[in-house]
Amino acid sequence: MPLTPVITEHWDDPELFTLAGYQRHGGYRALASALQQDPDALIGLVKDSGLRGRGGAGFPTGLKWSFVPQNDGNPHYLVVNADESEPGACKDIPIMLANPHALIEGVIITSYAIRAKHAFVYIRGEVPEAIRRVANAVREAREAGFIGTNVLGSGFDVDVVIHSGAGAYICGEETALLDSLEGFRGQPRLKPPFPAVAGLYAAPTVINNVETICNIPYIIDRGVDWFRQFGTEKSPGFKVFAVSGHVNRPGIYEAPLGITMRELLDYAGGVRDGGEVKFWLPGGSSVPMLTGEHLDVPMTYEDMAAAGTMLGTGTPMVFDTTVSVVKAVTRWLEFYKHESCGKCTPCREGTYWITGTLERFEHGHGTDSEVEELVELCGQIMGRSFCALGDAAATPYPAALKYFRDEFLAATTTPADEQFDPVASYVYAGAVAR
Amino acid sequence: MAISQSTREQMQQLAARYPRPRSALMPMLHLVQSLEGEVTPDGIAACADAVGVSAAEATAVASFYTMYKRRPVGEHHIGVCTNTLCGLLGGDAVYEALSERLGVGHDTPTEDGRFWLERIECQAACTHAPVMTVDWEYMDDVTPASAVEIVDRLDRGEPVQSTRGPVIRDFRATERTLAFPEDGLAAEGTPVDAKMLAGLTVAKERGMTAPGQPAQRASDPIDAGQEG
């Protein structure tokens, strides 16, 4: 399957981040067209396109928009989730660095469609470069009359605010993000009510991922039929894949949904040193890992689910045979333990227990019985917390055990660093002497 | 340090961005860090005043987020990603080398108070592993030697360019950007690098484009160049 640069098509133009650069490539044409259409028609169009959320869950975007009650007299809000913090996910930040106006054009169109006069872009505080690039785009769009009152003479008013986070993975969870944006500790809310009904300031709110919103101008400009040429019936469209890890050319590769990891690997120059894939994760540390047996599974929402995993953020991490899976999984659990917000007991306490046990395995001190007990412990966390962080923390170990049981059993006697020389997995192995 | 009237006015500017002032609490805390180098009790109290909550409530927010520090960070915040991908691809050794060079461990300032070292979580730059940050600006694809060299240069006061951003300023300047994002530096450096262009480069080499753009685009009356 060929690569199909759409969102990334003009990234090699160093002026693309400017308004003039973006407009040279057709930018803001979709906005002019959208403002001449009925908002409900736009929601219908996005529904018909079949676009699904690119933040991980894959929820149909148009359907989400349609849940916002219309003509209810309440203010509506659009919130863009630009808190990309999922380990392995690195596609929204590049989009914001390279093509920030696509995001802003999408924000304005979406605000118009859901009848929101305020939009917020919640960008993680750890990436000031993304914050300044998007803020610059907002300034230019405001100066050009695309943001503000009576946008392009349409009578539509919209304001866009860039909001900096301050270092909390949990704020990528949509309801925690809302609490954070309201000036509270970022802790998830119980759903229902869903944000479409009671979101920011308890008003109807749509929360969409950066890449999702960036699809909107292209769908409006080129149409549903064009969009549905890409991908499958259930997973239409294209995807900004970010391939990282032990590959020769890690980077951004945009392709239709349904491309396989084998094809992406080929574009990325294959596994380094002609090696082999030991395990890979299609979209972040929160989705179950796959192995070299799964390289031909189409990367769609439905095919990944059938293979026992999820497309997630669509940012495959590739690990070659130099890597200890025990060490990899332990490190992810240390992350979830650190990032658990503490609200729900199963997640708060469970991440400590799993991490503590896995750290013993990493040092060669696990026991045979704990290999099974950990599965049970993960089962007690899964599905028992407000948000998906607990579920995510309960995911890596059972998935790894399914394919690499022997390695965990070996870790009852042999530390991970003795099973696998850590230096061998460095990408600069042999290249740097210190 | 007492919070000046000018600072309080800037806090009001931040509050005015939002339908409800409390939403500005986080940017206000970034503003405090930009002025004080940490979130001081005085600074937190001023934020609390500005949004109309108790100091205890504002402290509860400040203590939740890892970027807010309650000890002086110093001139430069040094981060090394040691999450699974960066760590196993070499970030662990980068962190060890910097810890040795700076003589401190995780989330700690150096003895002279100039640097702060931190093992950071995934920085959304896995394609550029192992990743280091200086004052949260990207320093991509580092090795132990190149990371130590970066700190040496900062130590000597020599300019250091972020791999995908501006020349490094200092921790406080970055915190200022987080409160007031329009810092005039959006055009600095090379934010779009070869790895971000990897797929586009392959596509061009192999003559691949997105298929079937509608025919009317060629004769579209709204020419892109005329709009702006």
Side-chain angles (χ1 to χ4, degrees), chain B residues 75-113:
Chain B
E75 278 172 53
H76 296 295
H77 178 279
I78 309 293
V80 182
C81 179
T82 55
N83 201 305
T84 300
L85 190 119
C86 274
L88 272 55
L89 267 61
D92 286 352
V94 171
Y95 174 80
E96 290 304 325
L98 287 175
S99 179
E100 188 183 319
R101 164 66 179 77
L102 294 167
V104 290
H106 168 63
D107 221 18
T108 314
T110 54
E111 204 174 309
D112 63 6

Side-chain angles (χ1 to χ4, degrees), chain A residues 131-168:
Chain A
I131 290 167
R132 65 168 64 93
R133 295 280 268 198
V134 177
N136 183 66
V138 169
R139 179 185 58 78
E140 288 185 312
R142 184 176 286 122
E143 287 169 4
F146 299 146
I147 293 173
T149 52
N150 193 17
V151 175
L152 298 180
S154 65
F156 170 62
D157 305 338
V158 67
D159 190 24
V160 181
V161 174
I162 305 303
H163 184 91
S164 305

